[in-house]
């Protein structure tokens, strides 16, 4: 037990048990996001693959979501967003890696998650309130995921302009509000041959992740997959 654990004891967000942020009992109770959905029409789709009939240029090849956005997972995500703690990023990143590894084993139809050449790209901080320490929690979780899976993690995107909050905006307004918010980071084009795994914490209407996908694909990235903790 470190001095930090003594000063700021970890407690499970679900039941209050001390020692971890998310105890194994509460992990077992967290609802999986099932079925997975097509990132274009948001209807059920095997393994989160984009439906063949949903073809639209500059859209992702697929989307995988770990949890339903409710209960303890929702509290965990709020906690890491607003009061960043690196131990919590580790717990979330490891949970996500375990989820993907399990997925790879159980999913017969989709070899996607078995691929070893993913380049993980975290969504940069944008309309979300930047937390007081200036960390991008999404990037921190992405780094833990990457090191667990043996995948490279790169900030290929940056925020091109600030946005108004997305809270309270509906689908169309959200898409309009987010347009043009991301740009490519210097040097990003050198990674164009990689298979991209775009990572964000939550899929709400998808407008953020879809806009980021559009920017990458317009720049010549061929395949972009999306992954979020919850929806
Ligand atoms: Zn618990
Ligand atoms: Zn579809």
């Amino acid at each position: 037990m470190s001095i930090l654990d003594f000063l700021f004891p970890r407690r499970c967000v679900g039941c209050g048990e001390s020692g971890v942020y998310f105890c194994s009992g509460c992990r077992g109770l967290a609802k999986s996001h099932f079925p997975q959905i097509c990132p274009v029409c948001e209807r059920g789709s095997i393994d989160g693959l984009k439906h063949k009939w949903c073809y639209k240029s500059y859209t992702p090849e697929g989307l995988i979501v770990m949890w339903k956005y409710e209960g303890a997972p929702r509290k965990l995500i709020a906690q890491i967003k607003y009061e960043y703690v690196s131990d919590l990023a580790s717990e979330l990143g490891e949970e996500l890696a375990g989820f993907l590894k399990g997925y790879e084993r159980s999913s017969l139809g989709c070899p996607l998650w078995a691929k070893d050449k993913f380049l993980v790209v975290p969504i940069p901080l944008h309309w979300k309130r930047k937390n007081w320490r200036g960390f991008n929690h999404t990037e921190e979780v992405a780094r833990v995921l990457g090191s667990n899976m043996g995948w490279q993690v790169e900030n290929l995107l940056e925020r091109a302009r600030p946005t108004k909050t997305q809270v309270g905006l509906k689908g169309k307004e959200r898409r309009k509000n987010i347009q043009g918010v991301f740009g490519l980071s210097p040097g990003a084009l050198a990674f164009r041959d990689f298979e991209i795994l775009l990572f964000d914490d939550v899929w709400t209407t998808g407008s953020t992740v879809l806009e980021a996908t559009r920017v990458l694909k317009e720049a010549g990235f061929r395949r972009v997959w999306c992954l979020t903790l919850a929806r």
Side-chain angles (χ1 to χ4, degrees), residues 126-197:
H126 37 91
W127 53 269
K128 289 170 189 163
R129 199 158 18 132
K130 202 171 178 171
N131 72 51
W132 63 277
R133 278 196 261 186
F135 279 102
N136 178 359
H137 61 281
T138 304
E139 180 183 341
E140 302 299 319
V141 176
R143 297 220 170 267
V144 179
L145 172 70
S147 71
N148 271 271
M149 302 296 283
W151 294 337
Q152 207 174 328
V153 181
E154 293 289 339
N155 285 312
L156 300 187
L157 296 166
E158 58 184 27
R159 185 167 55 155
R161 64 167 174 83
T163 23
K164 287 178 284 185
T165 174
Q166 295 277 74
V167 175
L169 297 181
K170 296 240 170 64
K172 251 196 184 143
E173 296 167 316
R174 275 182 180 248
R175 276 194 295 279
K176 225 177 142 198
N177 189 39
I178 199 94
Q179 254 170 31
V181 85
F182 300 121
L184 284 188
S185 306
L189 290 179
F191 296 96
R192 235 174 353 185
D193 291 333
F194 282 81
E195 192 105 359
I196 302 298
L197 183 62

Side-chain angles (χ1 to χ4, degrees), residues 37-45 49-54:
I37 57 159
C38 160
V40 175
C41 68
E42 296 193 282
R43 294 200 179 94
S45 162
L49 293 176
K50 171 166 65 182
H51 296 127
K52 286 202 179 71
W53 55 89
C54 281

Side-chain angles (χ1 to χ4, degrees), residues 16-139:
E17 185 185 306
S18 62
V20 284
Y21 290 109
F22 200 25
C23 80
S24 55
C26 290
R27 274 168 212 242
L29 292 175
K31 287 211 179 99
S32 326
H33 182 264
F34 186 83
Q36 296 291 346
I37 57 159
C38 160
V40 175
C41 68
E42 296 193 282
R43 294 200 179 94
S45 162
I46 293 171
D47 294 331
L49 293 176
K50 171 166 65 182
H51 296 127
K52 286 202 179 71
W53 55 89
C54 281
Y55 181 81
K56 233 170 119 185
S57 36
Y58 307 134
T59 55
E61 331 306 320
L63 163 70
I64 290 287
V65 183
M66 180 161 62
W67 288 313
K68 279 181 108 164
Y69 192 42
E70 58 177 44
R74 193 179 178 122
K75 285 191 208 156
L76 277 173
I77 292 168
Q79 186 162 0
I80 197 174
K81 203 183 259 187
Y82 297 116
E83 36 175 314
Y84 176 78
V85 234
S86 68
D87 292 334
L88 180 51
S90 304
E91 283 188 25
L92 284 171
E94 277 159 22
E95 186 73 17
L96 199 53
F99 164 75
L100 288 183
K101 286 175 183 163
Y103 203 87
E104 180 194 313
R105 280 193 297 274
S106 65
S107 160
L108 298 174
C110 181
L112 157 68
W113 306 106
K115 286 208 173 121
D116 58 1
K117 259 202 97 181
F118 272 125
L119 182 76
V120 185
V121 177
I123 293 283
L125 281 176
H126 37 91
W127 53 269
K128 289 170 189 163
R129 199 158 18 132
K130 202 171 178 171
N131 72 51
W132 63 277
R133 278 196 261 186
F135 279 102
N136 178 359
H137 61 281
T138 304
E139 180 183 341

